[in-house]
Amino acid sequence: MSGESEYLAAYDPREFPPVAVTVDVVALTILGGVLHVLLVERGEPPFAGRWALPGGFIRPGEDLDRAAARELAEETGMADRVHIEQLASYGAPDRDPRMRIVSVSYLAFAPDLPDPQAGSDAADAAWYGVDHLPELAFDHARILDHALDRARAKLEYTPLATAFVGETFTISELRGVYEAVWGVPLHAGNFHRKVLSVPGFVESTGETTESGGPRGGPRARLYRAGDARLLHPALLRPEREEEVR
Amino acid sequence: MSGESEYLAAYDPREFPPVAVTVDVVALTILGGVLHVLLVERGEPPFAGRWALPGGFIRPGEDLDRAAARELAEETGMADRVHIEQLASYGAPDRDPRMRIVSVSYLAFAPDLPDPQAGSDAADAAWYGVDHLPELAFDHARILDHALDRARAKLEYTPLATAFVGETFTISELRGVYEAVWGVPLHAGNFHRKVLSVPGFVESTGETTESGGPRGGPRARLYRAGDARLLHPALLRPEREEEVR
DNA sequence: CTAATAGTGTCTGTAAGACAATATTTT
DNA sequence: AAAATATTGTCTTACAGACACTATTAG
């Protein structure tokens, strides 16, 4: 913090160029096998009527993480079973036309959820499939892009996929998460063996589903999340030549 | 940004609880085969005389990335050949005793460098070996921990190690970077073959060093960084059982 | 019955790591 | 000559992906 001391010694908050800090949350869930993101419709200018990521100003005395969780809860009512983690921060001087705003973005994952409630201050709130997004306000399209990249990468080396499913789940359900987030079909047999071979990824409950799948097939065994924080070896995505150079 | 609109509609900057945004830079280099981090000695309270990460307030109209690059240049004079990227943000309400400060941390990598210059506002500046750190001001120890975790992870799947060496380099020099950052010895033969087998990691210059090593050995071939942005397959660290659970 | 799905077996190619061997250079 | 280092070779084991197969369940 070079410069901070002298700066602050003679510092008067009233003179300081005003900067505001917000949190923006990229909340993801899976609906009908498709990855969805929570968006809110802005009720006021700028960008009135435009869809945006849920978020808002941090409050005095409130930590960044708590602010993100609060903003998310205001739109969805979801508090439990939600994984939330910080992503990048955005501070381009002109990213908000009103004033200097630095936004800290967060990524949240939740299992299948009921409809979101529009927060007290948003005109509406809805889950959008990530392949059918409306035009977004501010630089939120870029924030969302970064968030999706991160989510896809984290599925590879963390057990994050289990945050998208219920307390207990089948290997097929887990595969559905990977397919939805990565957007590619995976080989059922190989995926099955792979998941069970990673220590601590899932552990058996000893139970099975009550019945087979809707279109036939045997009952599936049920698992719960294991105690691993990192997957080793990782579940790597199929070849991505394009991204290498 | 739910809540933002109404909030700002009736918003007067003079009434807003003051928040300041700083950038803090974790600048890493390798000196004598050991990973070092750039620290500055604070000249003013709080934490006067304590060492801290270089950093400071963002200026009006200045992007976060530019602010980080500027702060780094003020302490080191280094502008070229420096890789810089954003890490996490820290906003605990009490992390600075003076006022609410949200800090955006940055990670910077540079090749072997001359001594740093104390910036205009710091009492002193120096490179510290990461295993012999002084007690740090604020929450900078935590920020540094996170930065080192990130740097170690990025060596695995990006060609970042090449940012620590010169324009051209030998495979041994590159191995020295990995050993310094990861803190473990690597097998010379296997490392050599591995690096050359990853497409786009390094490319041959056709040249060799002028002479052998200081303690003997043949001349080594010289390489330069290739065009890969991601290493595939990655160079994984040796087993890290501890970190898995 | 037929189709779909869960789960297992097998084979192949790639890659990581242990270890050895050879060539080249400094002291 | 002796020691250090660059580079290459070989072998073993692990693992990813392709593919085949069996068993179980819905319709």
Side-chain angles (χ1 to χ4, degrees):
Chain A
M1 296 217 174
S2 85
E4 176 184 359
S5 328
E6 293 178 3
Y7 218 102
L8 279 183
Y11 171 69
D12 172 357
R14 307 266 141 187
E15 292 176 19
F16 202 81
V19 181
V21 176
T22 63
V23 293
D24 288 317
V25 181
V26 177
L28 303 177
T29 196
I30 293 175
L31 301 170
V34 176
L35 186 63
H36 283 66
V37 58
L38 180 63
L39 298 178
V40 300
E41 188 183 4
R42 293 179 54 79
E44 307 273 338
F47 296 105
R50 188 77 70 82
W51 291 88
L53 298 172
F57 290 100
I58 61 172
R59 297 183 178 168
E62 184 182 56
D63 193 9
L64 297 177
D65 292 7
R66 271 201 39 69
R70 173 180 53 75
E71 290 292 342
L72 181 59
E74 286 175 7
E75 303 299 337
T76 64
M78 52 189 181
D80 295 338
R81 298 198 45 61
V82 177
H83 172 100
I84 192 162
E85 65 178 53
Q86 194 189 99
L87 289 173
S89 295
Y90 300 83
D94 58 350
R95 62 180 295 278
D96 190 300
R98 294 162 297 183
M99 65 178 294
R100 185 71 191 269
I101 294 186
V102 171
S103 171
V104 184
S105 66
Y106 277 80
L107 184 56
F109 307 89
D112 210 327
L113 284 166
D115 283 346
Q117 305 113 35
S120 55
D121 32 47
D124 199 3
W127 293 103
Y128 273 86
V130 294
D131 288 330
H132 299 88
L133 293 172
E135 202 176 351
L136 297 184
F138 306 108
D139 53 0
H140 288 190
R142 182 161 161 257
I143 296 177
L144 177 54
D145 266 353
H146 290 175
L148 292 176
D149 282 348
R150 180 77 148 268
R152 288 174 179 133
K154 291 216 81 163
L155 280 203
E156 290 192 321
Y157 60 94
T158 73
L160 198 58
T162 59
F164 282 103
V165 293
E167 184 77 24
T168 67
F169 51 87
T170 67
I171 302 295
S172 281
E173 286 169 351
L174 196 61
R175 177 164 48 86
V177 172
Y178 277 89
E179 292 178 331
V181 177
W182 286 350
V184 296
L186 299 174
H187 186 283
N190 289 340
F191 181 87
H192 192 103
R193 183 168 358 92
K194 171 71 184 173
V195 166
L196 296 185
S197 77
V198 176
F201 190 6
V202 300
E203 58 185 36
S204 175
T205 64
E207 310 284 309
T208 68
T209 52
E210 290 296 315
S211 59
R215 284 171 299 192
R219 299 177 184 183
R221 295 178 202 151
L222 287 168
Y223 298 83
R224 69 173 75 87
D227 62 351
R229 293 183 301 122
L230 294 174
L231 304 184
H232 189 75
L235 281 86
L236 299 179
R237 277 170 278 187
E239 296 306 335
R240 294 171 295 138
E241 291 291 339
E242 345 72 62
E243 301 183 32
V244 171
R245 302 302 153 96
Chain B
M1 299 212 172
S2 85
E4 178 184 358
S5 329
E6 293 179 3
Y7 219 102
L8 278 183
Y11 171 69
D12 173 359
R14 306 268 140 187
E15 292 176 21
F16 201 80
V19 181
V21 176
T22 64
V23 293
D24 287 318
V25 181
V26 178
L28 302 177
T29 195
I30 292 174
L31 300 170
V34 176
L35 186 63
H36 284 67
V37 58
L38 179 64
L39 298 179
V40 300
E41 188 183 5
R42 294 177 54 78
E44 307 273 339
F47 297 103
R50 189 77 71 82
W51 291 87
L53 298 173
F57 291 99
I58 61 173
R59 296 184 178 166
E62 183 183 56
D63 193 8
L64 296 177
D65 292 8
R66 272 205 33 72
R70 173 180 52 76
E71 291 291 342
L72 181 60
E74 286 176 8
E75 304 298 338
T76 64
M78 51 189 182
D80 293 339
R81 298 199 43 63
V82 177
H83 171 101
I84 192 163
E85 64 178 55
Q86 194 189 98
L87 288 174
S89 296
Y90 300 84
D94 58 350
R95 62 179 295 278
D96 190 301
R98 294 162 298 184
M99 66 178 293
R100 184 69 191 270
I101 295 187
V102 172
S103 170
V104 183
S105 66
Y106 276 80
L107 185 56
F109 307 89
D112 210 328
L113 283 166
D115 283 346
Q117 306 113 33
S120 55
D121 33 46
D124 198 3
W127 293 103
Y128 272 86
V130 294
D131 288 331
H132 299 87
L133 293 172
E135 201 177 351
L136 297 183
F138 306 109
D139 53 358
H140 288 190
R142 182 159 162 259
I143 295 177
L144 177 54
D145 265 354
H146 290 176
L148 292 176
D149 281 349
R150 181 75 146 270
R152 289 176 178 132
K154 291 214 85 163
L155 281 202
E156 291 192 320
Y157 59 93
T158 74
L160 198 56
T162 58
F164 282 103
V165 293
E167 185 76 26
T168 66
F169 50 87
T170 67
I171 302 295
S172 281
E173 287 169 350
L174 197 61
R175 176 163 50 85
V177 172
Y178 277 89
E179 292 178 330
V181 177
W182 286 350
V184 296
L186 299 174
H187 186 282
N190 288 339
F191 181 86
H192 192 104
R193 185 167 356 91
K194 171 69 184 174
V195 166
L196 295 185
S197 77
V198 177
F201 190 4
V202 300
E203 59 185 34
S204 176
T205 65
E207 310 285 309
T208 68
T209 51
E210 289 297 317
S211 59
R215 283 171 299 195
R219 299 178 184 182
R221 294 180 201 150
L222 287 168
Y223 297 84
R224 68 174 73 88
D227 62 351
R229 292 183 302 119
L230 293 175
L231 303 184
H232 188 73
L235 282 85
L236 299 180
R237 276 169 280 187
E239 295 305 337
R240 295 170 296 138
E241 292 291 340
E242 346 70 65
E243 300 184 32
V244 171
R245 302 298 153 94

